[in-house]
């Protein structure tokens, strides 16, 4: 079994619809340029209020991805 080395980046996703949609949007966008996405952790949730209702969601994520073998062995 190979050992995994992870790199962590922080992303912020937003959506007018829901927290889940904000997460999905952030992950979908990140997956276009980051390979080997493995996990995420929601670390902060914020929202905008208009007229007494939630108008927009914003979710901060920590996202982990595995490094390619060449990158993991570089020093």
């Amino acid at each position: 079994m190979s050992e995994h080395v992870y790199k962590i980046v922080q992303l912020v996703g937003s959506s007018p619809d829901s927290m889940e949609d904000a997460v999905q949007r952030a992950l979908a966008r990140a997956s276009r340029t980051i390979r080997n996405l493995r996990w995420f952790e929601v670390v902060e949730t914020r929202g905008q209020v208009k007229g007494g209702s939630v108008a927009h969601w914003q979710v901060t994520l920590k996202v982990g991805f595995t490094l390619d073998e060449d990158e993991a062995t570089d020093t």
Side-chain angles (χ1 to χ4, degrees):
M1 183 167 113
S2 65
E3 294 180 27
H4 292 288
V5 174
Y6 295 91
K7 181 165 181 119
I8 298 172
V9 295
Q10 192 163 313
L11 306 172
V12 179
S14 63
S15 170
D17 299 322
S18 69
M19 288 186 295
E20 183 177 350
D21 190 49
V23 170
Q24 294 288 355
R25 287 174 186 238
L27 294 174
R29 175 60 187 89
S31 71
R32 294 185 352 217
T33 55
I34 300 173
R35 294 185 309 274
N36 307 318
L37 291 175
R38 300 291 186 227
W39 57 266
F40 72 92
E41 174 186 359
V42 175
V43 294
E44 187 173 40
T45 305
R46 289 179 299 281
Q48 178 186 22
V49 178
K50 282 191 180 174
S53 295
V54 176
H56 210 87
W57 295 93
Q58 193 175 58
V59 180
T60 303
L61 309 170
K62 284 185 182 177
V63 179
F65 59 97
T66 53
L67 298 174
D68 291 338
E69 285 302 316
D70 292 8
E71 294 176 60
T73 57
D74 286 347
T75 56

